[in-house]
Amino acid sequence: MIVYGKRIVEYIINRHPDIVEEILIAKKLDKKSLKQFNKFKTKFIDNKLAQKLSKNGNHQGFFAKISFSPTQWEIMGDKILILDNVTDMGNIGAITRSAYAMGIDLLIITGIKELKWPQLIRTSAGAALDMKIITYQNILELINILKTKNYTLIGADMDGECKVDVKEKIALIMGNEGEGLSKRVKNRLDKILTIKMKNFDSLNVSVAAGILIDRITNEC
């Protein structure tokens, strides 16, 4: 697996050096900048290969070939976040970063057969390497499991409450970018949590997720 971007590569070599197989560099570096890669196998590549590896993305001249396999985590923790049919990897990455930063115990992504891990790692600024993440195909089956585990199921929608008891075991469900939560999911929820709008009628799902994650994890 190859990931790219200066910040991502630095995150990996500082926090997960054990998964690094090789560093690829597509720019000139002075001795001081190059020193941080001394303990890794390092190779310089030309811009043509760099553009190919990044699929013309903004690689900034830095690539890391890593050995990473996602773990199949158990469904547990006091605060769980579920993304139901959220498909945009940029949004998923931004949400992953917020979820990890604010203490979500587990992120469950439904409606996606297979996550694009290199893109997720990059768009989450590396947080996907540390956040507990699993995929689950059937959201209704997942809801049944969470109910047996005594979670309070909270959905994000336009009509609902503004506050929630953060001492409860909570599973927050965010719907997709266009349609939100399906009626089948809404009918199984315990509570609806909303963000009151003053000058607009909607927010990007990653922005909304950040606000609501803070609601369910903090008492302030």
Side-chain angles (χ1 to χ4, degrees), residues 149-205:
K149 293 177 177 286
N150 299 315
Y151 281 89
T152 297
L153 301 180
I154 297 176
D157 202 29
M158 294 297 292
D159 298 315
E161 305 174 41
C162 290
K163 296 182 179 179
V164 65
D165 184 358
V166 299
K167 295 178 181 178
E168 296 177 327
K169 283 177 61 177
I170 292 173
L172 172 64
I173 306 175
M174 302 292 300
N176 68 25
E177 297 90 343
E179 300 173 359
L181 295 176
S182 70
K183 187 175 180 180
R184 292 188 303 168
V185 171
K186 286 182 185 179
N187 289 339
R188 306 297 303 279
L189 298 176
D190 299 304
K191 295 179 182 179
I192 297 290
L193 198 57
T194 192
I195 300 169
K196 296 296 184 183
M197 302 289 181
K198 292 184 178 180
N199 299 310
F200 209 64
D201 61 353
S202 66
L203 293 172
N204 173 275
V205 65

Side-chain angles (χ1 to χ4, degrees), residues 17-30:
D18 54 309
I19 70 173
V20 177
E21 294 182 355
E22 188 176 26
I23 299 296
L24 306 175
I25 301 174
K27 64 185 302 182
K28 291 183 179 180
L29 296 179
D30 56 33

Side-chain angles (χ1 to χ4, degrees), residues 1-187:
M1 180 187 299
I2 292 179
V3 295
Y4 61 85
K6 185 175 186 290
R7 184 172 182 179
I8 307 308
V9 171
E10 289 178 343
Y11 183 95
I12 291 172
I13 65 173
N14 289 323
R15 298 192 60 163
H16 299 280
D18 54 309
I19 70 173
V20 177
E21 294 182 355
E22 188 176 26
I23 299 296
L24 306 175
I25 301 174
K27 64 185 302 182
K28 291 183 179 180
L29 296 179
D30 56 33
K31 290 183 179 180
K32 183 178 180 181
S33 299
L34 193 58
K35 186 177 180 181
Q36 63 184 320
F37 303 116
N38 281 351
K39 61 181 179 179
F40 303 103
K41 180 182 177 182
T42 304
K43 181 168 70 175
F44 285 89
I45 61 175
D46 60 32
N47 189 59
K48 185 176 179 180
L49 179 55
Q51 291 299 103
K52 182 179 179 181
L53 291 174
S54 67
K55 297 180 181 178
N56 295 316
N58 183 20
H59 55 77
Q60 300 172 300
F62 295 89
F63 298 79
K65 184 178 180 181
I66 61 174
S67 175
F68 171 77
S69 297
T71 301
Q72 281 301 308
W73 303 100
E74 292 185 40
I75 297 175
M76 60 185 299
D78 290 333
K79 300 292 184 292
I80 291 177
L81 176 64
I82 301 162
L83 304 183
D84 183 28
N85 285 311
V86 177
T87 57
D88 182 86
M89 291 304 299
N91 282 332
I92 295 175
I95 293 170
T96 299
R97 184 176 180 180
S98 296
Y100 180 65
M102 290 188 274
I104 290 292
D105 298 305
L106 177 67
L107 173 60
I108 305 177
I109 301 172
T110 72
I112 292 181
K113 291 183 179 180
E114 187 176 352
L115 280 175
K116 298 175 182 176
W117 279 97
Q119 191 174 353
L120 179 56
I121 292 169
R122 179 170 54 84
T123 57
S124 68
L129 292 169
D130 296 299
M131 183 75 228
K132 292 180 178 179
I133 303 172
I134 61 173
T135 57
Y136 206 100
Q137 285 303 305
N138 192 319
I139 181 66
L140 297 181
E141 183 180 300
L142 174 60
I143 285 174
N144 288 336
I145 292 172
L146 292 168
K147 283 184 175 292
T148 64
K149 293 177 177 286
N150 299 315
Y151 281 89
T152 297
L153 301 180
I154 297 176
D157 202 29
M158 294 297 292
D159 298 315
E161 305 174 41
C162 290
K163 296 182 179 179
V164 65
D165 184 358
V166 299
K167 295 178 181 178
E168 296 177 327
K169 283 177 61 177
I170 292 173
L172 172 64
I173 306 175
M174 302 292 300
N176 68 25
E177 297 90 343
E179 300 173 359
L181 295 176
S182 70
K183 187 175 180 180
R184 292 188 303 168
V185 171
K186 286 182 185 179
N187 289 339

